[in-house]
Amino acid sequence: MATQRQPSTSSNAFSFLSKGWREVRDSADADLRLMRDRANSFKNLATSFDRELENFFNSAPPPFAVPAMRTAGPLPPPAEIDFVKKLQPKLKEIRRAYSSPEFSKKVLEKWRPRATIRIDLSAIRNAIVSEVEEEDEDSDTTVGFERGKRGRRLSLKEFWGEWVGEAEGEGSGGGDWEPIRALKSRFKDFEKRSSSSEIFDGFKNSEFLEKVKSSLKSMRWDHQDSKEVPPLDVPELLAYFVKQSGPFLDQLGVRRDICDKIVESLYSKRKNQLLFQSLSGDESSVLENGNINDELDLRIASVLQSTGHRYDGGLWTDRGKPLDNERHVAIVTTASLPWMTGTAVNPLFRAAYLSQSAKQKVTLLVPWLCKSDQELVYPSNLTFSSPEEQEVYIRSWLEERIGFRPDFKISFYPGKFSKARRSIIPAGDTSQFIPSRDADIAILEEPEHLNWYHHGKRWTDKFNHVVGVVHTNYLEYIKREKNGALQAFFVKHINNWVARAYCNKVLRLSAATQDMPKSIICNVHGVNPKFLKIGEKIAAERELGQKAFTKGAYFLGKMVWAKGYKELIDLLAKHKTDLDGFKLDVFGNGEDATEVQSAARRLSLNLNFQRGRDHADDTLHGYKVFINPSISDVLCTATAEALAMGKFVVCADHPSNEFFRSFPNCLTYKTSEDFVAKVKEALENEPHPLTPEQRYQLSWEAATHRFMEYSELDKILNKEKDGANSSTDKRMMAKSMSLPNLSAAVDGGLAFAHYCLTGNEFLRLCTGAIPGTRDYDKQHCKDLNLLPPQVENPIYGW
């Protein structure tokens, strides 16, 4: 029984021992894994410390980044950075502390593996050894672990040492634990790389720094090497906003020069920087020679073009009608012959001389009055039963004076005479009487007058270019009426409104008119060639020794107070004794004729009133002195005609006479005493003969040339021929295509608002319009062969 139990006891003991050793080995493996994990965590801690240090350098304050922004070369030596010098001793102390052997021992003492299962095997070992010694040494039941070294019995201490040796690995160098060896080697590498130059070399060559450099280079504005256009700054944006707000500010009464000064002060700070840097050579030349507004427009356009933006129009803008090879000019005026007024005569001559050019066809559009209105307007009870009859009269009068047969078309639009305003007011939409195929260039003679109550197509929408010519100083006339100052205030702003909304360019004959938007001062009127011929005849007679001037002084003009009659009577009454024996002949007809003559008789003035007549009449050739004290004229046609005939002209020192001051026969006065002196001087001396140059300045050929230049029609008509070869035109075309124009949007809004207001009959009547002039009436339909307004425009307003 004993021998049978002994093997059983031995196998149980060995199985128990094997089970116990497995548990011990598993526990030891778990402890080793824990030790490796802690060693790895420490390694990660060191790596994290290294990363944090590098991040600290990367996030350093501006002294690290500034050199990269301002210099194109390499970074300065990092050793020159002060705080790095202070940081280096600290780094050496850290390296010495981490690389010392004591640190490894402390780490092992703190993080050495601790067994989670503790079993006392000494009793088991003693029992097994005693039991095994009693067995036969050659027994086949030798335990597997005693065969550890070729049959030699292996003690537990030797077994544990061998197992631990296997775990630690051979050749460990002093028996150090593998994590400690890795940690030491890590610190040695760190010590080798610890010099500041190596640290910052790595920092300098890092991918992150390269990205920062590239981003900073993209932000730099190197004007000499880069072709990019610098972006707009705040002062430039403010300057452009003020400039584009000019139309709105002008309607509020803010003067144009104030807006220009604001724009100049805002933009001039940046102008010098951009003159030769951000703009091209062509644009720089434009900036050097142009005004501040053109410079700012070109600057904005260059920025927009650099972004690839292209402006295709806006809410109120239009692309314009396409052009064919043939150009058309439509001249629209507010009066017609036989009414001898400036707006009837001067547009007629302009149409005749513009038609001499083969570049364009010309149409003159004049008002047609019904017979009842003709009797109130035309002199000598002259009336016409049809437009064709009046056209024959107009052409006959014109050809008699210019000496050639002009080739232009005459058309009529419906009009009504206003007794209160003493003017002809258009009825209906005047623009519809120019066919769309001929709607190319429009010349509006008196644009404010034509558009006060205009309710129809916007001129600048139908025509490619619209030029307004201001003839009359309406503000001066209105100020003479009751509540004139208040009326003049409203009329001034209405004139600005319609001129801005319906014109591309405005020409003012003199500075006597109000300062309108888009306007320029230029005398674009000439004199009838007949007066120049009279002057040549008189000059020839004087050369032959004949006495050309046999009479003294005269005055000619429509007999209304505003035409200078009040000023004339005041001057003569004040200096009646100084001008003793002075006699003045006055020629004219008008609504105030009775009052003017009564005032002269009451003051016992030596004035001889006669009926009105043509200034070229033979009875007026012998007068030597023409006196014109009017200060309400814009540019007196009679003054130019008198100078063309070689006479003296005594006139006021006034903006309306600025053009005539260069002529030696024009004697201007500033005071009433000066007036007396100039009259005596003219009566006692002979006029100077006109030179050929002076004759040309007074001619319609010169006036037409000035008109083509200042209205920019010469550029428009020659656009197809010269536009491709002109760099300036290319720049302006590019600017207009790229530049959003706030001013054009404001103009369109004003035109739309005016259209809405003039469509209301109540508002029209409140502002002084003639009742029923929003559309033409039945009599106009009959005289002009027009369809009724309801048929012409079946849907109101569209």
Side-chain angles (χ1 to χ4, degrees), residues 427-442:
D429 180 9
T430 308
S431 65
Q432 75 181 66
F433 295 94
I434 297 294
S436 297
R437 64 178 181 276
D438 297 338
D440 183 9
I441 298 170

Side-chain angles (χ1 to χ4, degrees), residues 555 559-561 563-576 579 582 584 586 592-607 609 627-630 669 672 675:
F555 175 62
M559 201 167 290
V560 293
W561 287 113
K563 282 293 185 180
Y565 285 93
K566 184 179 184 302
E567 290 81 3
L568 178 64
I569 291 176
D570 290 343
L571 288 170
L572 296 178
K574 184 177 182 179
H575 298 281
K576 186 187 300 184
L579 294 172
F582 174 73
L584 183 67
V586 180
D592 298 332
T594 302
E595 296 180 9
V596 171
Q597 295 174 16
S598 299
R601 286 193 296 267
R602 186 171 59 254
L603 296 173
S604 302
L605 300 179
N606 193 5
L607 296 178
F609 291 96
I627 296 178
N628 182 19
S630 174
Y669 64 89
S672 59
F675 169 77

Side-chain angles (χ1 to χ4, degrees), residues 631-749:
I631 58 174
S632 63
D633 288 323
V634 173
L635 186 78
C636 184
T637 303
T639 299
E641 293 169 349
L643 288 173
M645 289 187 288
K647 304 177 186 294
F648 274 123
V649 173
V650 178
C651 58
D653 186 5
H654 189 261
S656 61
N657 299 315
E658 181 68 27
F659 177 78
F660 306 122
R661 289 179 183 174
S662 61
F663 294 85
N665 292 338
C666 181
L667 307 177
T668 59
Y669 64 89
K670 295 182 179 180
T671 63
S672 59
E673 291 77 11
D674 196 16
F675 169 77
V676 175
K678 298 298 183 182
V679 169
K680 291 181 178 181
E681 178 184 351
L683 292 174
E684 295 171 358
N685 297 281
E686 290 296 320
H688 300 276
L690 293 178
T691 64
E693 182 180 357
Q694 292 170 349
R695 289 194 182 95
Y696 177 75
Q697 289 180 8
L698 293 170
S699 68
W700 265 105
E701 287 84 0
T704 303
H705 178 75
R706 292 192 297 267
F707 178 81
M708 296 292 292
E709 178 182 358
Y710 285 90
S711 66
E712 301 178 355
L713 285 188
D714 54 349
K715 295 181 180 179
I716 294 174
L717 295 175
N718 296 326
K719 184 177 181 181
E720 296 179 358
K721 179 179 179 181
D722 301 331
N725 299 326
S726 175
S727 60
T728 303
D729 289 344
K730 287 182 179 180
R731 288 194 300 271
M732 299 308 293
M733 184 182 301
K735 182 180 77 171
S736 63
M737 293 173 63
S738 300
L739 187 62
N741 196 339
L742 179 60
S743 179
V746 173
D747 296 347

Side-chain angles (χ1 to χ4, degrees), residues 5-19:
R5 278 197 308 266
Q6 185 176 5
S8 176
T9 303
S10 299
S11 62
N12 290 336
F14 279 114
S15 64
F16 173 77
L17 182 61
S18 299
K19 180 178 180 182

Side-chain angles (χ1 to χ4, degrees), residues 135-203:
E135 297 291 333
D136 186 54
E137 293 181 358
D138 297 330
S139 176
D140 295 334
T141 59
T142 305
V143 294
F145 71 88
E146 289 180 347
R147 301 172 186 165
K149 291 186 178 179
R150 296 183 181 180
R152 175 180 173 272
R153 285 197 297 263
L154 189 64
S155 65
L156 180 64
K157 183 176 181 180
E158 291 176 339
F159 175 81
W160 175 255
E162 184 179 357
W163 181 80
V164 172
E166 292 176 358
E168 291 180 354
E170 297 179 356
S172 59
D176 288 339
W177 186 33
E178 182 179 1
I180 301 302
R181 291 198 309 272
L183 182 62
K184 287 182 179 181
S185 61
R186 176 62 178 169
F187 277 118
K188 289 179 181 180
D189 295 338
F190 181 76
E191 184 176 4
K192 293 178 181 179
R193 299 173 56 248
S194 62
S195 63
S196 59
S197 59
E198 292 181 359
I199 293 175
F200 283 96
D201 285 341
F203 169 73

Side-chain angles (χ1 to χ4, degrees), residues 343-416:
T343 53
V345 175
N346 291 309
L348 182 60
F349 281 108
R350 195 183 327 280
Y353 283 90
L354 280 177
S355 65
Q356 286 187 303
S357 174
K359 294 181 180 179
Q360 67 278 336
K361 289 188 174 182
V362 180
T363 299
L364 177 65
L365 191 61
V366 298
W368 166 260
L369 298 177
C370 298
K371 185 165 290 187
S372 57
D373 286 337
Q374 293 181 29
E375 295 172 352
L376 298 175
V377 178
Y378 298 152
S380 304
N381 296 323
L382 183 61
T383 59
F384 306 97
S385 58
S386 66
E388 292 78 12
E389 185 180 349
Q390 185 173 359
E391 180 179 352
V392 171
Y393 176 88
I394 294 172
R395 292 188 181 276
S396 176
W397 183 94
L398 178 63
E399 292 174 10
E400 182 182 352
R401 283 156 178 79
I402 61 177
F404 64 90
R405 186 178 182 84
D407 183 16
F408 67 93
K409 180 181 179 182
I410 297 179
S411 298
F412 293 84
Y413 69 87
K416 288 189 176 183

Side-chain angles (χ1 to χ4, degrees), residues 612-627:
R613 62 193 66 181
D614 194 331
H615 204 177
D617 193 272
D618 295 339
T619 59
L620 301 177
H621 294 178
Y623 287 94
K624 183 172 65 173
V625 182
F626 176 73
I627 296 178

